[in-house]
Amino acid sequence: MRRPLCLIGLAFVMVLLLGIHLFPHDPPDYGALDGETVAAVGRVEWKERRISGSEEVLVVTLEQAVILKPDQVSVLKQFLEDSDKAFSNAIAADSVKKTEKFIEENRESLQWEDAAGIEGILCHMEDEKPPAMGSYLLVEGKFRPFSHARNPGEFDAADYYRIMGQQGRLMRVSCLAGSGEVSVFRESLYRIREYLSLLLDACYPEREASVMRAMLLGEKGMLDEEMESLYQQNGIIHILAISGLHLSILGMGFYKLLARLRAPKVVDIILSVALMYCYGIMTGMGVSIVRALVMFGLNLGASLAGRTYDLLTAMMTAALLILVQQPLYLTHSGFLFSFGAVCGIGLLPSVSVHASVTGSHFLMGSRFCKALFTGGWVSLCTFPVYLCFYYEFPTYSVLLNLVVIPCMGVLLLSGVAVMAVAAVFLPLGPFAALPGIWILAFYEKLCGLCGRLPGRRLVTGRPENWQVIAFLVLFVMAVVLSGRMKRWQFFGALVAAVFLLTVRLPQGFEITVLDIGQGDCIYLADGQGGHYLIDGGSSDQKEVETYQLVPFLKYRGVKRLDAVFVSHSDTDHISGIQGLLEDCGETGIEIGRVLMPDLDEESRDENYVDLVALAKSRGVPVGVLHEGERLGNEKLMLTCLHPVESYVNSDANAGSMVLHLTYENFSALFTGDLEGEGETLVTDFLSGAADAEKGGKQSGFSAGPVTFLKVAHHGSKNSTSETFLTAANPRIAVISAGRNNSYGHPHKETLERLKNHGCRIYQTSLGGAVTVRVRGEQVRVESYIQ
């Protein structure tokens, strides 16, 4: 049997995947602790500088963490102080062991009941001296649990950090007490990294220094946001991760250097692996570093034992070591990207050998053609990962990586040389940094060029699980049967696999009310390729277009919004739309037009005027809607019920645009923040239309009961009156409001009125995004959080 470990590993992975999907483990909810000032104790596992907002902060990772009961803080503080005094620095390890034993034996009496299950915490230190690695730390700060995604496509911070072993963070942390230093080895590596970081800062300009620190020292927390975004959008963000490329260049370089110095092979291998292990510890020992380190060690071990090194077997060994410790890495994008790329490299020789045997000559041609095929092949292996996590693929990344990756060796060695030169004679450092600065400028120019080319992003949406399985089946079949296939058959199988992964079947009519905190954002799909947005803003969530809106649209495969309706110009309804317009062209989401409520010139506030000006500056047409105007197609029709033409506002909310939607037998009413005079006018309109229908008159508007109501003004008691509900007569009511908002939305009075009218009530603050799908006579409503 060839590669038995690979087959065993594949079986193990399949069992893990099955278990993860069939028996999902939901972590405890730590919402009860959100915002509470708590004390915690734990061992210092890692520390690094990060940018938080506009400030640089020290972030310390505590493992074996315990959130303490308030009455136990003084007990543990006294214990730490007494323990630290009882031992000298020479035997500080004994102090730490004593502390660790005390905490484990008394965990139940020390731990806050609501914090059971917390194992790791990120501490944002406030003007504190960095604690020693491996020491125990007693700290106090405001607890913030990592939040789960509340919308389709949104990044799930809780799941991501759970894999990392962390369940929350403490903000503005102060240190109450600490034990002595225990890990001299790791603390020394941290200080070396800090010293090297200072050398890079002194030799490179600020932006380039942040890139070199991330690339050489793993300091991503200080990375320039603009550069990170540029690399991410163009599919070369991987060059910033410490990975096999670094270890192959640095590790193999050191190995060959010792070989030239005629060091004994055993000594050479031990020193090379030890150096790379130290480098891995210094840079954070991420999943790609662990993989590269294991494979590097197996490669050198194979040469020492006189055995053949098999890349796929080495890769599977590394994967099993990681997954045995944390199976959830199978849902981690970094793990899948790292191992997917290496798997592609490992499978390429098999395809090449099969092709040469059959005469298919897949890899025949010029060196450029071979490089292009290799780059495309590796991208194909990671293609499902791109679509499952980012819902798009940077089209020109294959060509871009053909230029970027060959330069990486020079760039890395240049960075190492800069640190070595600067350590000896600092004034020479900036001159040694010039090649690296030129290469980074070249990268930036290339990314800028690709950003101006048409079709730079392939937005496909998140593929279904069956599509991923179909892709993998066809891909594996193409590899296994490549020895029996002709060229057109081989490439035909790959094209078919890509087609199955990217094709999107018609999804039908859909309304999704997104959870963006205290605000409104409603997405409409007409089932015929049309996509619309009604409002998009929040008063308590920052950059909703970046973290909620754009990820959702790409998750749905939306490349263009045919129209964006703005009910009114309050910030909690337009902040995300402003962000979409400002980033127009960068996000990959086009906007067909913006439609505003038809208000008198004097009633248009500053936000209204600024939004119109912003849209026009981005080349997006702007129109206004007033009562009676319609747009739609043969199945879907949107009718504006309010405001009347050139409406004079009594207040901003009263002038909210109200849209009535009909789709076959389904109807919906979108009310913005409608209240006061505006709600009275809409109520009269609905009642008048109903009376006209009873009298046999044709008003051009169907005034039957409304299936779906987006409740006005986040459920305020000043909206959605009894008379309005009687006129609209909704079956389903959705309230969009922030969790624990300061306004108390939705108000009890509104909820009572809705219940009394027999409405099924859904709240984004309770269940996340609310999606309504209509299939024939069936209306299905589901909350994102079940």
Side-chain angles (χ1 to χ4, degrees):
M1 182 187 296
R2 297 188 62 187
R3 299 190 174 108
L5 185 60
C6 289
L7 296 176
I8 294 171
L10 282 174
F12 179 69
V13 167
M14 294 301 293
V15 171
L16 284 183
L17 279 174
L18 196 61
I20 290 171
H21 283 91
L22 292 180
F23 308 103
H25 172 66
D26 294 326
D29 181 10
Y30 301 111
L33 292 175
D34 191 11
E36 294 282 345
T37 298
V38 300
V41 65
R43 184 196 292 272
V44 178
E45 169 66 17
W46 181 249
K47 51 185 175 177
E48 64 178 340
R49 300 282 175 182
R50 293 184 185 179
I51 297 295
S52 179
S54 58
E55 299 179 354
E56 178 183 329
V57 297
L58 174 68
V59 179
V60 173
T61 303
L62 296 184
E63 66 172 8
Q64 302 173 24
V66 177
I67 303 291
L68 300 171
K69 295 176 183 176
D71 60 352
Q72 295 297 313
V73 177
S74 58
V75 174
L76 194 59
K77 183 178 180 180
Q78 188 63 49
F79 178 86
L80 283 171
E81 291 174 350
D82 293 344
S83 178
D84 202 32
K85 290 176 184 177
F87 295 91
S88 66
N89 288 334
I91 52 174
D94 291 334
S95 172
V96 173
K97 288 179 180 178
K98 182 179 178 182
T99 302
E100 184 176 0
K101 183 179 179 181
F102 175 82
I103 291 174
E104 287 303 315
E105 289 178 350
N106 298 276
R107 178 176 287 269
E108 289 188 8
S109 60
L110 293 171
Q111 185 170 260
W112 196 331
E113 290 80 0
D114 291 335
I118 290 181
E119 300 173 352
I121 302 174
L122 295 181
C123 299
H124 291 240
M125 309 298 289
E126 189 175 57
D127 300 326
E128 296 285 349
K129 179 182 177 182
M133 299 286 275
S135 63
Y136 265 89
L137 208 62
L138 176 62
V139 296
E140 185 178 68
K142 186 171 289 188
F143 185 79
R144 295 292 186 190
F146 293 118
S147 58
H148 281 288
R150 300 183 62 83
N151 300 284
E154 185 179 349
F155 173 68
D156 196 307
D159 281 351
Y160 175 84
Y161 282 102
R162 178 171 57 150
I163 296 172
M164 303 294 107
Q166 295 135 25
Q167 288 77 34
R169 53 186 173 174
L170 292 181
M171 310 304 293
R172 299 191 177 279
V173 171
S174 58
C175 182
L176 302 180
S179 66
E181 179 181 328
V182 63
S183 182
V184 177
F185 168 66
R186 296 183 63 204
E187 181 65 21
S188 299
L189 289 175
Y190 169 78
R191 293 178 182 177
I192 291 172
R193 191 184 70 167
E194 288 287 283
Y195 174 66
L196 296 177
S197 180
L198 291 174
L199 293 180
L200 292 174
D201 283 340
C203 298
Y204 289 92
E206 185 176 354
R207 277 160 52 98
E208 286 77 4
S210 73
V211 174
M212 295 305 293
R213 289 199 308 269
M215 194 177 295
L216 291 169
L217 304 176
E219 292 187 8
K220 290 187 178 181
M222 299 289 290
L223 185 60
D224 181 82
E225 289 186 7
E226 187 177 336
M227 294 291 283
E228 183 178 19
S229 176
L230 189 67
Y231 286 5
Q232 175 73 58
Q233 291 172 10
N234 288 277
I236 62 170
I237 191 70
H238 61 86
I239 68 175
L240 300 179
I242 309 293
S243 63
L245 181 63
H246 296 67
L247 266 65
S248 62
I249 292 174
L250 302 177
M252 292 305 297
F254 184 72
Y255 174 78
K256 291 178 181 179
L257 175 63
L258 291 180
R260 287 192 175 185
L261 295 175
R262 299 189 177 182
K265 196 166 187 178
V266 175
V267 175
D268 189 353
I269 291 174
I270 292 174
L271 291 178
S272 298
V273 173
L275 176 67
M276 290 302 96
Y277 176 76
C278 292
Y279 180 67
I281 292 291
M282 185 179 73
T283 55
M285 199 58 85
V287 63
S288 59
I289 303 177
V290 174
R291 174 193 59 74
L293 184 61
V294 171
M295 295 178 68
F296 177 73
L298 290 175
N299 190 4
L300 296 185
S303 67
L304 179 65
R307 303 292 298 271
T308 301
Y309 171 73
D310 183 68
L311 185 142
L312 290 176
T313 300
M315 179 203 70
M316 186 57 72
T317 302
L320 291 176
L321 289 174
I322 294 171
L323 292 175
V324 166
Q325 183 180 12
Q326 177 52 278
L328 290 177
Y329 266 116
L330 278 175
T331 63
H332 187 275
S333 61
F335 176 91
L336 296 173
F337 270 121
S338 181
F339 282 89
V342 174
C343 184
I345 295 170
L347 291 174
L348 190 60
S350 299
V351 175
S352 178
V353 169
H354 290 161
S356 63
V357 170
T358 61
S360 297
H361 306 299
F362 298 152
L363 302 181
M364 294 294 288
S366 65
R367 182 176 296 180
F368 174 78
C369 290
K370 293 178 181 178
L372 183 62
F373 179 85
T374 302
W377 179 260
V378 174
S379 294
L380 189 64
C381 291
T382 57
F383 191 50
V385 185
Y386 266 107
L387 300 192
C388 287
F389 286 91
Y390 301 113
Y391 327 122
E392 64 178 354
F393 182 77
T395 314
Y396 301 112
S397 61
V398 176
L399 293 174
L400 195 57
N401 277 296
L402 289 181
V403 181
V404 168
I405 292 178
C407 297
M408 279 299 296
V410 177
L411 185 58
L412 291 176
L413 292 176
S414 168
V416 173
V418 167
M419 292 186 291
V421 169
V424 176
F425 188 61
L426 185 59
L428 285 179
F431 296 100
L434 288 176
I437 294 173
W438 294 335
I439 292 174
L440 291 177
F442 178 56
Y443 285 178
E444 192 170 352
K445 291 290 185 184
L446 283 177
C447 289
L449 174 62
C450 291
R452 292 189 292 272
L453 294 175
R456 63 191 179 96
R457 281 177 171 158
L458 175 65
V459 179
T460 66
R462 207 276 187 197
E464 301 289 340
N465 289 336
W466 71 264
Q467 292 179 286
V468 177
I469 294 171
F471 173 89
L472 293 175
V473 169
L474 275 176
F475 182 81
V476 171
M477 286 177 60
V479 172
V480 173
L481 300 177
S482 59
R484 305 175 187 176
M485 287 181 169
K486 295 180 180 179
R487 181 189 295 185
W488 69 267
Q489 293 173 323
F490 177 77
F491 284 106
L494 297 184
V495 170
V498 171
F499 174 78
L500 282 175
L501 188 66
T502 57
V503 67
R504 290 293 168 265
L505 300 176
Q507 296 298 309
F509 176 80
E510 173 189 328
I511 300 174
T512 296
V513 181
L514 295 177
D515 178 11
I516 54 175
Q518 186 67 12
D520 269 6
C521 184
I522 304 156
Y523 162 77
L524 300 177
D526 63 12
Q528 297 180 312
H531 306 279
Y532 308 91
L533 200 69
I534 301 175
D535 288 334
S538 177
S539 60
D540 63 351
Q541 299 284 340
K542 296 180 180 179
E543 299 182 69
V544 293
E545 73 281 357
T546 301
Y547 298 112
Q548 282 92 25
L549 186 48
V550 170
F552 168 80
L553 293 174
K554 290 184 176 179
Y555 180 91
R556 287 286 193 259
V558 177
K559 310 176 187 67
R560 172 186 168 85
L561 289 167
D562 295 272
V564 173
F565 300 88
V566 178
S567 69
H568 65 297
S569 54
D570 282 356
T571 301
D572 61 336
H573 289 252
I574 68 168
S575 63
I577 296 172
Q578 288 173 325
L580 279 178
L581 290 169
E582 288 169 355
D583 297 336
C584 197
E586 297 298 320
T587 61
I589 307 294
E590 297 181 11
I591 297 177
R593 54 179 167 163
V594 174
L595 296 170
M596 308 288 292
D598 189 355
L599 302 180
D600 177 76
E601 290 286 344
E602 297 298 322
S603 298
R604 299 179 181 184
D605 61 14
E606 185 178 353
N607 284 350
Y608 187 113
V609 174
D610 289 345
L611 184 63
V612 170
L614 176 61
K616 290 181 177 179
S617 70
R618 295 297 190 267
V620 178
V622 179
V624 295
L625 286 180
H626 58 257
E627 180 187 310
E629 292 191 299
R630 295 181 169 190
L631 61 115
N633 51 47
E634 62 271 16
K635 280 195 171 185
L636 180 142
M637 183 60 64
L638 282 163
T639 305
C640 181
L641 305 188
H642 183 72
V644 296
E645 189 171 358
S646 298
Y647 179 76
V648 178
N649 248 347
S650 55
D651 68 33
N653 290 341
S656 290
M657 180 194 299
V658 177
L659 295 173
H660 183 276
L661 176 148
T662 57
Y663 176 83
E664 297 179 345
N665 295 322
F666 176 88
S667 60
L669 198 59
F670 306 99
T671 55
D673 278 355
L674 186 70
E675 62 183 14
E677 180 190 48
E679 184 175 289
T680 301
L681 290 173
V682 172
T683 302
D684 292 343
F685 183 94
L686 292 172
S687 300
D691 291 341
E693 284 191 4
K694 289 178 182 178
K697 298 179 182 179
Q698 297 296 323
S699 64
F701 172 76
S702 176
V706 172
T707 314
F708 170 97
L709 171 68
K710 200 293 295 182
V711 178
H713 204 182
H714 321 293
S716 168
K717 63 183 178 182
N718 300 320
S719 299
T720 322
S721 64
E722 288 283 354
T723 54
F724 173 83
L725 286 172
T726 299
N729 195 18
R731 288 164 43 199
I732 300 164
V734 177
I735 302 173
S736 176
R739 286 172 291 168
N740 304 316
N741 64 83
S742 59
Y743 306 97
H745 293 157
H747 289 150
K748 181 180 178 181
E749 297 89 332
T750 304
L751 293 174
E752 288 294 331
R753 289 196 292 268
L754 291 168
K755 288 178 183 176
N756 291 338
H757 277 266
C759 293
R760 289 163 53 195
I761 304 171
Y762 296 85
Q763 300 181 48
T764 59
S765 58
L766 299 179
V770 178
T771 298
V772 179
R773 292 185 174 89
V774 179
R775 303 293 183 267
E777 297 294 324
Q778 185 179 24
V779 178
R780 182 177 178 181
V781 186
E782 57 187 34
S783 295
Y784 184 72
I785 301 173
Q786 300 299 327

